[in-house]
Amino acid sequence: MDFVAGAIGGGLSAAVGHPLDTVKVRIQTDNHYRGFWHCAQETYRTEKVWGFYKGGSAAVLALSMVSSVSFGTYKNILCTICKLRYGAADAKPSKLDVSLAGVAAGAARALFTNPSEVAKVRMQTQKNPHPSITHQPVSKPKYRGSLHCLKVIIKEEGFGGLYKGCSALLCRDCSASAVYFLSYSALCDWVTPAGSQPGFLVVLFSGGFAGALAWAFATPMDVIKSRMQADELDQHKYKGLIHCVRESVRKEGVKVLFKGLGLNCLRAFPVNMVVFVTYEGVLRFTDHYINKK
């Protein structure tokens, strides 16, 4: 049920966070934009509302997979650690236990979701002017949808193309996931009386705060990940993780690693409120239903 609850929470959160995620990716990969509002205005002016939802199907798939794999792996690894260390899967875990389970969850989700992340980034960075702007027929875009994007990547770049930026994604998700679960657990424990479940307001706030804090840690690697995944075969700007970091910092300074930081944290708060409250709600509903049976 942890896998199922995580998938439902992730899928619902996609509708909340995808428009801001599109703006974030464009800011991180294109120097044309002067900031959040400029990017949002340009996107709406040239592509209308649809421009903000490019890669939306990939986002729903990615976030469902991310949350499912993340929560399912986290809970199962944490139970295994507790059983090995304390003799019982439901024993109270230490902060180190929570952090280690978080790292494992981050590694698992990075490996599972990299292909959909690549498709999402490619779709989001593909600019197709709306017909009402050009007043003439618009040429067919290179990528006509998320599945078509995946097919084109495999055809042009091989299966290896689906794992572009995987090293950066691993670095991002392992560190961020440890912070994510540790901060959520610590906040819930801090404001909830011992022996009782956290209330939904506590879950909402703790989930939102955990998401924002995790993205504050994740943003530098998120920038590098987006740039590596947006780097198509005919561009081939970056040879790898270190080369991408070095070239980005050399050309744009250290501040480039923090592009989209505020936007990431702003987007993460409501998105992770939805993720955690849905996750907890599904688990509590199923627990109650099973117990009544």
Side-chain angles (χ1 to χ4, degrees):
M1 282 311 303
D2 288 282
F3 285 100
V4 174
I8 295 171
L12 289 176
S13 70
V16 177
H18 191 71
L20 287 176
D21 186 63
T22 297
V23 176
K24 180 263 297 184
V25 168
R26 291 190 171 191
I27 289 172
Q28 289 178 337
T29 57
D30 194 335
N31 293 328
H32 166 71
Y33 302 113
R34 297 191 295 271
F36 168 74
W37 287 113
H38 181 236
C39 182
Q41 288 169 349
E42 283 291 294
T43 299
Y44 181 76
R45 185 180 66 82
T46 58
E47 301 170 75
K48 302 305 180 187
V49 174
W50 170 244
F52 294 100
Y53 285 92
K54 283 191 168 180
S57 57
V60 171
L61 174 65
L63 281 171
S64 293
M65 288 176 64
V66 163
S67 292
S68 177
V69 171
S70 183
F71 281 93
T73 302
Y74 167 76
K75 195 63 178 287
N76 281 279
I77 292 292
L78 188 61
C79 287
T80 301
I81 291 172
C82 288
K83 193 170 183 179
L84 290 172
R85 291 192 67 186
Y86 313 116
D90 57 352
K92 176 76 173 174
S94 68
K95 290 180 173 60
L96 177 61
D97 299 332
V98 172
S99 299
L100 289 174
V103 169
R109 77 182 187 185
L111 293 173
F112 272 97
T113 60
N114 204 88
S116 60
E117 280 282 316
V118 174
K120 178 180 74 71
V121 168
R122 295 283 179 92
M123 290 290 294
Q124 288 173 322
T125 53
Q126 177 178 257
K127 300 179 182 67
N128 308 112
H130 195 272
S132 64
I133 301 300
T134 59
H135 303 293
Q136 59 184 359
V138 178
S139 59
K140 282 186 178 181
K142 181 176 181 179
Y143 306 121
R144 298 193 295 272
S146 299
L147 288 177
H148 181 253
C149 181
L150 290 171
K151 289 178 184 177
V152 172
I153 291 170
I154 292 171
K155 182 180 178 181
E156 294 184 351
E157 305 170 48
F159 282 96
L162 299 178
Y163 281 88
K164 268 197 169 180
C166 189
S167 55
L169 188 61
L170 273 169
C171 291
R172 187 196 78 174
D173 282 1
C174 287
S175 58
S177 186
V179 172
Y180 184 61
F181 286 108
L182 179 60
S183 56
Y184 175 75
S185 175
L187 267 174
C188 285
D189 288 346
W190 183 45
V191 298
T192 304
S196 59
Q197 287 185 319
F200 276 99
L201 283 177
V202 173
V203 171
L204 279 169
F205 176 77
S206 300
F209 182 82
L213 185 62
W215 271 106
F217 277 84
T219 294
M221 276 298 110
D222 185 53
V223 173
I224 300 305
K225 187 264 318 176
S226 293
R227 291 187 168 210
M228 290 176 71
Q229 291 177 338
D231 188 22
E232 299 188 31
L233 189 64
D234 56 346
Q235 297 171 333
H236 203 60
K237 296 178 186 176
Y238 310 117
K239 299 173 185 174
L241 173 64
I242 301 301
H243 183 250
C244 184
V245 173
R246 190 167 58 237
E247 284 296 295
S248 297
V249 172
R250 183 179 67 82
K251 292 178 180 177
E252 301 170 60
V254 177
K255 66 180 182 180
V256 70
L257 298 177
F258 298 94
K259 272 190 170 184
L261 173 61
L263 191 54
N264 268 338
C265 294
L266 176 66
R267 179 179 64 89
F269 203 94
V271 164
N272 287 283
M273 285 173 66
V274 172
V275 169
F276 271 104
V277 82
T278 305
Y279 171 76
E280 292 284 358
V282 170
L283 288 184
R284 292 182 192 186
F285 174 80
T286 52
D287 284 346
H288 179 68
Y289 179 77
I290 290 169
N291 288 337
K292 283 186 73 175
K293 283 289 197 179

